[in-house]
């Protein structure tokens, strides 16, 4: 595993649910994230309530600038999803540092694996130790959409 990349000066990661700007998270995902376009606010609120949530915040203003959530039993498995970095702060390594912080927070739980799906950010995740499924022929999915 690689070390967690440092977060850009002036930013911090938190899992404190009271700090989440849920309206902003919904706006980002429902209007700008290809995997969640049009996601209703109520569905996003349920997703947040049932997940371990990570936010990145500007330490000066307190404004949330990035988000990720994890669905996990904290024992055997985790699914990393809804990773989003506000367009105004992209290119500062915030997404890579956020995913590194997620990985490092989950590591002590002894999970067998953390999965994710991405259409266009393979390079970000590969820097942090993620790779393709070793045996994709053993995985199946049930889709309702």
């Amino acid at each position: 595993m690689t070390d967690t990349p440092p977060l850009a000066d002036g930013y911090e990661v938190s899992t404190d649910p009271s700090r989440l700007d849920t309206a902003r998270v919904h706006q980002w995902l429902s209007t700008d994230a290809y995997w969640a376009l049009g996601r209703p606010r109520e569905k996003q609120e349920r997703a947040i309530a049932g997940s371990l949530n990570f936010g990145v915040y500007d330490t000066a203003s307190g404004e949330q600038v990035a988000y990720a959530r994890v669905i996990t039993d904290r024992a055997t498995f985790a699914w990393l999803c809804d990773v989003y970095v506000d367009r105004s702060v992209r290119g500062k390594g915030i997404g890579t540092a956020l995913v590194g912080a997620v990985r490092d927070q989950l590591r002590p739980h002894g999970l067998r694996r953390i999965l994710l799906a991405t259409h266009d950010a393979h390079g970000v995740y590969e820097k942090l130790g993620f790779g393709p499924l070793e045996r994709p022929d053993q995985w199946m999915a049930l889709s309702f959409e």
Side-chain angles (χ1 to χ4, degrees), residues 17-125:
S18 70
R19 292 185 72 183
L20 286 176
D21 184 341
T22 57
R24 181 168 224 187
V25 169
H26 175 255
Q27 178 70 25
W28 284 334
L29 297 177
S30 68
T31 64
D32 195 39
Y34 66 84
W35 65 89
L37 292 175
R39 183 182 289 168
R41 175 78 185 261
E42 183 273 332
K43 184 175 271 198
Q44 185 63 51
E45 295 285 344
R46 284 188 295 140
I48 289 170
S51 301
L52 173 60
N53 299 279
F54 292 77
V56 176
Y57 302 89
D58 181 304
T59 54
S61 67
E63 178 182 32
Q64 187 172 349
V65 299
Y67 175 75
R69 70 185 181 91
V70 177
I71 303 155
T72 184
D73 58 11
R74 292 185 172 100
T76 62
F77 179 82
W79 176 264
L80 172 60
C81 55
D82 288 346
V83 178
Y84 187 91
V85 177
D86 188 271
R87 289 183 177 274
S88 69
V89 297
R90 289 183 186 171
K92 296 181 178 186
I94 289 172
T96 302
L98 171 59
V99 173
V102 169
R103 180 201 60 201
D104 292 349
Q105 179 146 343
L106 294 173
R107 182 178 282 137
H109 296 290
L111 304 175
R112 182 174 176 137
R113 67 181 47 92
I114 301 170
L115 292 181
L116 62 85
T118 184
H119 176 74
D120 59 357
H122 294 79
V124 170
Y125 298 107

